Amino acid sequence: MSKIVLVGVNHAGTACANTLLDNYPEHELVIFDRNNNISYLGCGTALWIGRQIESPDGLFYASKDVFEAKNATVHIETEVTHIDFKEKKVTAKKKDGSEVTESYDKLVLATGSLPIQPKIDGVNLENVQSVKLFQDAVAANARMEDPTIKSVAVVGAGYIGVEIAEAMHRRGKKAYLFDVRDTSLCGYYDPELTKDMDDNLQKNGVELHLGESVLSIDGETKVTGITTDKGTYSVDMVVLAIGFVPNTSLGRDHLKTFGKSAAYLVDRHQQTSDSDVYAIGDCATVFSNALQDTAYIALATNAVRSGIVAAHNIAGTVIESNGVQGSNGISIFGYNMVSTGLTLRAATEAGFKAMVTEFEDLQRPAFMKENHSVKIRIVYDGETRRILGAQMASYEDISMGIHMFSLAIEQKVTIDHLKLVDIFFLPHFNQPYNYITMAAISAK
Ligand SMILES: Cc1cc2nc3c(=O)[nH]c(=O)nc-3n(C[C@H](O)[C@H](O)[C@H](O)COP(=O)(O)OP(=O)(O)OC[C@H]3O[C@@H](n4cnc5c(N)ncnc54)[C@H](O)[C@@H]3O)c2cc1C
Ligand SMILES: NC(=O)C1=CN([C@@H]2O[C@H](COP(=O)(O)OP(=O)(O)OC[C@H]3O[C@@H](n4cnc5c(N)ncnc54)[C@H](O)[C@@H]3O)[C@@H](O)[C@H]2O)C=CC1
C-alpha cells in the first residue's frame, strides 16, 4: 500500500483521484485544493453569461463528499505552500491559517494553469477581470447585471475571448474584441477559415480590433477606457483572455521544466524528472503526435486523460499516454469550427515542408433541403506525406469528422492513404463524393 498525495483537484486531479479510488482502493489518497469548488467546467462560463444556459448548477461533476465517500482525505480551501521533495513532505495552509503537513510515497501535481496577466497599466482597476475560476464567472455575471456597464473590451481573440465576446453581446453589452494578431483564433485555424469567423462576429455585432496592441487600461479606480497602438476606446469593463501559463511555482526549482512555457516535463507515464512525482493536466507537458515532440497544450481533455494515465502508473499498471493532437472546437452565433493537430503556419514554423489541401462543398446532395456549405483544410508534410492537421468550418454540426483526423495524426496516416478510406454515404448525412475524400484526392 502506498500513500499518494494529490495537489490540485480540478479536471486532471479529479480524473486521477477517481481512477485511483475506483480501481485501487488499497492505496491511501490525500487530496489538497486551495479552491472551494471542484471540477468547474470553464466552458460553461460563456454559456451562462450569454444565457444560453440559465444557471451554472450543472457545471460541476465532482465534489469533496464523493471523494470522501470513497475513503480519500480531502483538504479543500487549503493551499499547498511548500514541498520538501527530499523528505517527501507537503506543507499546506488552511483557510483559518493553520498548517497541515502530509508525507507521501508518490506525489501528483495537478496545479493547472493561471491566466496570463499582460504587463500594462490598469490591470488592477475595478471591472478588469480574467475568466478562469467559477468565482470569475460569478463576478462577470454580476457585472452583466450592472446597468452602468454598457460596453466591454475583451483582450485576446483566442478561444476564451471569442466565446466571452459573444456572451457579452448576447447580454446586451457593446462588445469590442482585441488581438495583436490579424485574425481571431489564429492558434487553431489558418486565415482562410478565421476570416469567416471574423465576418461572423462582426455580422452579429461584435466590434473587432485585430492587429492592435493594447497599451493600457484607463481609469482612476474603475475602468473608463482602453488604449491601443491604434486608438482609445471608451469602455466600462475589460476581460483579459490572452492565454494560460502552467502553474509550477511549487516544483520548478526541483523538477525539470520544458521550454518557454516552463511546464513540468513529463514522460509518457506522466512521470517527472523525480521518479516519485507525477504531473498532470495544464501544469505538465504533453507529447504532440503531430510534432512528434514535447509540447504544451492546455485543454480539459488532455487534463482528464493525463490524470487517468498517472493514476494507473502510480498504482502499478504500466500504461503509456497515446500522445495528443490538441483537438478542439468552438461554436459562435451558430458557426462551428473544429481543428486538430497543426495549422499550416504552425507546421511551417516547426520546420515541416508543410502543404495544404482544401475543399468546400455542401454537406448533403443539393437536392436535400437542410443543407449548408462545409470548408475543410488538411495540412500534411510534403516530404513524408503524413497528415499533420485538419480544420473544418460550417453552420452544420461537423464536429464528429475531426475525430477521424485526430486518430489519423496519432497513427501517422498519409494524405494519400486518406484518398481511398471507406466513408459511407447517405443523403441525410453527406455526399458520395464527400469533402474529406475530395480534399485528399486534390492533394498535390
Ligand atoms: C473559460 C474557459 C473555458 C474553457 N473551455 C474549454 C473547453 O471547452 N474544452 C477544453 O478542453 N478546455 C477548456 N478550457 C481549458 C480547461 O479548463 C483547462 O485545460 C483545465 O481546467 C485544466 O485542468 P487542470 O485540472 O489541469 O487545471 P486547473 O483547472 O487549472 O486546476 C488546477 C487546480 O489546482 C488547484 N491548485 C493550484 N495550486 C494549488 C496549490 N498550491 N495548493 C492547492 N491547490 C492548488 C487549483 O485550485 C485548481 O483547482 C477552458 C478554460 C476556461 C478558463
Ligand atoms: N473550446 C475550447 O476548447 C476552449 C479551450 N480553451 C483553452 O484554454 C486556454 C486559454 O484560452 P485563451 O486564454 O483564450 O488562450 P488562446 O491561446 O486560445 O488565445 C489567446 C489569444 O490572445 C492573443 N494575445 C496574446 N497576447 C496578447 C496581447 N498582449 N494583447 C492582445 N492579444 C493577445 C493571442 O494572439 C491569442 O489569439 C487555451 O489553451 C484554450 O485552448 C479555452 C476556452 C475554450
Side-chain angles (χ1 to χ4, degrees):
M1 193 196 91
S2 303
K3 179 171 174 187
I4 302 154
V5 170
L6 170 64
V7 186
V9 70
N10 209 28
H11 302 302
T14 294
C16 182
N18 279 330
T19 307
L20 283 167
L21 296 166
D22 294 342
N23 298 287
Y24 308 100
E26 66 277 19
H27 297 298
E28 182 185 351
L29 180 64
V30 179
I31 300 174
F32 288 97
D33 202 293
R34 65 184 175 193
N35 205 346
N36 60 9
N37 58 74
I38 290 173
S39 78
Y40 175 64
L41 287 166
C43 56
T45 295
L47 289 172
W48 178 41
I49 290 174
R51 287 298 182 273
Q52 290 175 275
I53 57 173
E54 283 311 310
S55 132
D57 293 349
L59 296 173
F60 301 86
Y61 60 90
S63 68
K64 179 178 190 276
D65 296 348
V66 172
F67 296 133
E68 283 176 343
K70 296 187 205 177
N71 293 325
T73 303
V74 187
H75 303 281
I76 62 164
E77 296 186 81
T78 308
E79 176 161 14
V80 173
T81 50
H82 179 71
I83 299 170
D84 185 334
F85 292 95
K86 213 163 151 234
E87 295 298 320
K88 295 171 77 172
K89 276 198 181 115
V90 165
T91 306
K93 201 174 196 174
K94 289 187 166 210
K95 207 178 156 196
D96 64 11
S98 62
E99 254 188 23
V100 195
T101 302
E102 294 273 4
S103 62
Y104 63 84
D105 298 312
K106 300 285 177 197
L107 176 69
V108 186
L109 296 173
T111 47
S113 53
L114 301 168
I116 298 173
Q117 289 293 307
K119 291 185 181 60
I120 54 174
D121 286 343
V123 285
N124 295 319
L125 288 172
E126 198 179 314
N127 294 339
V128 178
Q129 73 167 102
S130 301
V131 280
K132 165 93 176 149
L133 305 176
F134 176 55
Q135 291 87 329
D136 299 328
V138 171
N141 185 58
R143 286 182 170 126
M144 294 297 97
E145 314 276 337
D146 179 346
T148 67
I149 296 184
K150 293 188 167 55
S151 56
V152 183
V154 180
V155 183
Y159 265 163
I160 293 181
V162 169
E163 288 179 351
I164 290 293
E166 180 201 26
M168 305 257 159
H169 177 79
R170 282 179 184 270
R171 281 294 281 281
K173 309 294 177 186
K174 165 84 191 162
Y176 298 83
L177 183 57
F178 295 87
D179 203 290
V180 279
R181 300 281 293 273
D182 291 336
T183 70
S184 64
L185 305 180
C186 60
Y188 308 92
Y189 306 90
D190 292 324
E192 287 78 0
L193 294 195
T194 53
K195 70 176 168 35
D196 294 339
M197 179 57 87
D198 295 348
D199 291 347
N200 175 43
L201 286 160
Q202 303 223 86
K203 189 179 77 192
N204 283 287
V206 173
E207 189 172 312
L208 293 189
H209 292 272
L210 302 170
E212 280 190 50
S213 270
V214 174
L215 303 178
S216 64
I217 301 168
D218 310 323
E220 290 290 319
T221 53
K222 279 187 183 181
V223 172
T224 55
I226 191 161
T227 301
T228 74
D229 55 352
K230 302 235 170 92
T232 294
Y233 308 87
S234 169
V235 293
D236 310 308
M237 176 177 171
V238 172
V239 177
L240 297 172
I242 62 168
F244 287 174
V245 278
N247 175 18
T248 53
S249 53
L250 286 171
R252 75 168 76 104
D253 292 340
H254 173 68
L255 302 170
K256 274 194 188 147
T257 58
F258 167 72
K260 232 172 72 184
S261 75
Y264 296 129
L265 183 68
V266 293
D267 64 12
R268 301 285 281 262
H269 307 105
Q270 301 300 136
Q271 203 165 23
T272 67
S273 53
D274 177 333
S275 60
D276 292 321
V277 182
Y278 290 72
I280 57 178
D282 279 9
C283 66
T285 56
V286 291
F287 182 81
S288 158
N289 287 310
L291 291 170
Q292 287 292 299
D293 207 348
T294 304
Y296 179 67
I297 305 175
L299 282 173
T301 47
N302 294 345
V304 167
R305 283 189 301 268
S306 66
I308 295 170
V309 170
H312 284 298
N313 283 297
I314 289 166
T317 309
V318 178
I319 60 166
E320 280 203 345
S321 145
N322 289 15
V324 306
Q325 285 68 250
S327 302
N328 58 80
I330 192 163
S331 181
I332 299 293
F333 297 119
Y335 194 60
N336 307 313
M337 297 180 81
V338 288
S339 84
T340 187
L342 305 175
T343 60
L344 183 63
R345 180 191 168 122
T348 306
E349 282 175 5
F352 291 103
K353 190 182 152 231
M355 297 179 67
V356 70
T357 181
E358 58 190 346
F359 205 79
E360 179 176 0
D361 204 355
L362 288 172
Q363 175 70 30
R364 297 173 197 81
F367 59 77
M368 295 299 282
K369 273 196 203 125
E370 294 253 321
N371 223 339
H372 292 282
S373 180
V374 180
K375 287 186 179 177
I376 183 168
R377 285 171 68 82
I378 309 172
V379 178
Y380 58 99
D381 179 358
E383 276 162 9
T384 63
R385 314 285 292 167
R386 186 163 70 81
I387 295 173
L388 299 173
Q391 306 155 40
M392 290 155 72
S394 179
Y395 283 98
E396 296 281 345
D397 176 359
I398 31 78
S399 59
M400 296 309 277
I402 207 70
H403 303 318
M404 181 182 80
F405 285 98
S406 176
L407 188 61
I409 297 168
E410 185 193 291
Q411 293 299 315
K412 304 196 176 88
V413 171
T414 64
I415 188 72
D416 305 312
H417 188 85
L418 190 64
K419 292 174 185 172
L420 296 180
V421 162
D422 177 358
I423 293 176
F424 85 97
F425 158 59
L426 186 75
H428 306 70
F429 297 112
N430 64 355
Q431 302 214 42
Y433 286 86
N434 67 81
Y435 47 82
I436 295 175
T437 305
M438 294 309 292
I441 285 176
S442 323
K444 299 233 165 47

